[in-house]
Amino acid sequence: MSLFEDAEQGRSRREELCSGAVVLRRFALSDETAILAALDGLMAEAPLRHMVTPGGFRMSVAMTNCGSWGWVTDNTGYRYDAIDPQSGKPWPGMPDVFAKLAQEAAADAGFEGFVPDACLINRYAPGARLSLHQDKNERDFGAPIVSVSLGIPAVFLFGGSRREEKAMRVRLTHGDVVVWGGPARLRYHGVLPLKEDYHPLTGGHRINLTFRKAA
Ligand code: SIN
Ligand code: FE2
């Protein structure tokens, strides 16, 4: 979609949350079909699962990964692992359409040359939530985080660099991409419990792809 069309439809395409963090509205829309087709294959190879936190809680969000590194949690802690602990095999490769989308979104947000090596795939059913956290298992914080939303809407919480700071509430819908890096790289963020809804491409679910440079 061109900027002209956005203006014509009265939408602002880019919303800055703070220095280093931006929402690119509908940025992933033109890749929706390719992304969802690729996801079917990935999920057949590395099925979604509810991981357990180090504290012993089952996560409400179902997760899997693609790329060289996958984010995992179990009773020993959080880590990036090249091997899917469930299959004993490497995670499926990152589809080109994923890597390209993440790189373009990062560049659009001012982070040129982003090459993700990890993509966490989160699937939310109604009621699923993600409590406030920082993404800090990556080796260096020079690269941004690129987060793609598909399917039913969610309220994304975007907080400060301390957990106590009041978080902004940002409604994310199908195709929206959030990028945060630089001064915003370690901001706390999370997702409020999802409300029931329906999207023609994902049914009753929201899917989020989080791209990172882990290693
Ligand atoms: C995450 O922080 O890993 C996911 C955020 C989201 O689902 O929007
Ligand atoms: Fe996160």
Side-chain angles (χ1 to χ4, degrees):
M1 172 172 302
S2 72
L3 288 171
F4 177 69
E5 282 175 272
D6 279 321
E8 206 175 39
Q9 291 170 27
R11 271 195 296 264
S12 77
R13 196 172 83 95
R14 171 196 297 268
E15 292 168 22
E16 193 176 70
L17 299 177
C18 68
S19 175
V22 68
V23 184
L24 306 173
R25 294 288 181 194
R26 303 162 62 86
F27 193 91
L29 217 52
S30 52
D31 290 321
E32 60 180 10
T33 313
I35 295 171
L36 289 165
L39 277 173
D40 281 343
L42 295 174
M43 289 174 180
E45 241 186 279
L48 290 162
R49 77 289 307 263
H50 293 273
M51 299 188 205
V52 175
T53 66
F57 295 100
R58 174 187 186 267
M59 297 189 76
S60 59
V61 181
M63 298 177 170
T64 186
N65 292 277
C66 66
S68 302
W69 298 98
W71 185 86
V72 292
T73 174
D74 58 22
N75 57 350
T76 68
Y78 307 115
R79 66 179 184 279
Y80 280 99
D81 203 319
I83 302 296
D84 174 355
Q86 198 164 287
S87 67
K89 294 187 300 189
W91 298 101
M94 194 182 302
D96 289 343
V97 60
F98 283 29
K100 185 164 174 285
L101 170 64
Q103 182 156 25
E104 287 174 358
D108 216 69
F111 303 98
E112 292 289 341
F114 177 53
V115 181
D117 58 11
C119 173
L120 174 66
I121 300 163
N122 293 313
R123 191 184 67 179
Y124 296 74
R129 62 188 286 271
L130 199 60
S131 53
L132 275 183
H133 66 279
Q134 293 170 296
D135 286 8
K136 58 177 186 188
N137 297 124
E138 300 72 32
R139 192 158 295 159
D140 86 78
F141 302 136
I145 305 290
V146 174
S147 168
V148 176
S149 292
L150 297 167
I152 71 173
V155 178
F156 182 61
L157 298 172
F158 193 72
S161 43
R162 289 176 308 118
R163 190 185 291 278
E164 303 71 43
E165 281 173 58
K166 189 172 159 53
M168 281 178 248
R169 291 174 175 223
V170 184
R171 188 169 187 271
L172 297 179
T173 61
H174 183 72
D176 290 346
V177 179
V178 188
V179 181
W180 63 98
R185 177 61 180 74
L186 289 175
R187 290 273 190 147
Y188 277 87
H189 58 280
V191 177
L192 288 183
L194 247 75
K195 294 215 169 75
E196 293 225 20
D197 210 326
Y198 175 80
H199 190 281
L201 294 179
T202 63
H205 292 104
R206 169 178 188 255
I207 294 173
N208 168 265
L209 310 176
T210 300
F211 294 94
R212 297 145 177 173
K213 183 165 167 17

